[in-house]
Amino acid sequence: MRFLPLFSLLLMSQLLVGCESLFSRAPAAAPEPVNVFEDTPSAADAAALPGQCPPVQAVVCAEPEVKVVERVIERKFETIVEVPVAKDKLVLGSQEYAMVEPGDLRLKAQIDTGVATSSLHVEQLTRFERDGSDWVRFNVSNGDDTEAVKIELPIERHVRVARPGFDRQRRPIVNMSLTIGDVTHMVEVNLVQRGDFDFPLQVGRNFLKDSAVVDVSRRFVQGNGQLPIVSK
């Protein structure tokens, strides 16, 4: 029983020490409130948090500058200009009548600047020899009901002609006189036997060279064709 007062004193001293430490301790800082309605953290918070993506920021581009260009369309109209032709040149259309000698033939001719040598459509072409020279005999028709004219001429040379879709031909060439308008030329003419000719005579560059110009928009400029008048 004598220890009871001593025990009470010790208990009272421990209680006094506990209260003094309790009141002397500094109060703990209150936690920072968290905004539960904010989904996107600030830039500082995002940088502080590892593994977090930076916030998406909307980029507004400046509107491009629009330049208005005024385009002026200038329309030009073609003008037909009459080009004078030299007085010594014969003007021919795409088709003309030609006089052919020998034979005194008046034939409808096609004027073709794309061929070098004139051509004549003939029938019953036969080669033969006369006085050691090669000659040719053929018939030429005017295209009407008159009888075909038989002509015999020496062969000057031969030419080989190749056309797509046709066999290669070896044609004889003879000298003949062609007259269109007031112009007469002795030219080489190659003789051809073929039934698909629209014109019995095709006038090439060997007649047109240095003597005539061609206006393809016209036909029969030189009339119906006649032999030139020879003054005596």
Side-chain angles (χ1 to χ4, degrees), residues 130-147:
R130 176 179 292 176
D131 298 332
S133 300
D134 293 331
W135 282 60
V136 64
R137 180 186 300 115
F138 55 91
N139 293 343
V140 181
S141 175
N142 285 323
D144 50 21
D145 295 333
T146 59
E147 186 178 356

Side-chain angles (χ1 to χ4, degrees), residues 164-190:
F166 295 90
D167 295 334
R168 190 179 182 91
Q169 295 181 342
R170 184 172 180 264
R171 299 178 184 176
I173 290 182
V174 297
N175 285 328
M176 302 188 76
S177 174
L178 304 183
T179 301
I180 303 178
D182 296 332
V183 176
T184 301
H185 286 322
M186 182 69 72
V187 296
E188 288 187 339
V189 178
N190 69 75

Side-chain angles (χ1 to χ4, degrees), residues 33-106:
V34 179
N35 186 1
V36 296
F37 298 100
E38 184 177 358
D39 294 333
T40 305
S42 63
D45 295 337
L49 297 177
Q52 296 293 331
C53 296
V56 178
Q57 298 180 359
V59 179
V60 179
C61 299
E63 295 184 358
E65 182 181 358
V66 179
K67 295 182 179 180
V68 180
V69 179
E70 182 179 359
R71 179 176 296 178
V72 179
I73 301 177
E74 183 179 352
R75 299 184 181 274
K76 296 183 179 179
F77 298 92
E78 295 183 357
T79 303
I80 299 177
V81 179
E82 294 290 341
V83 180
V85 180
K87 295 181 179 180
D88 58 343
K89 297 288 185 178
L90 181 69
V91 179
L92 302 179
S94 60
Q95 301 174 20
E96 295 289 347
Y97 284 102
M99 300 300 298
V100 180
E101 288 289 343
D104 193 17
L105 295 166
R106 175 180 172 270

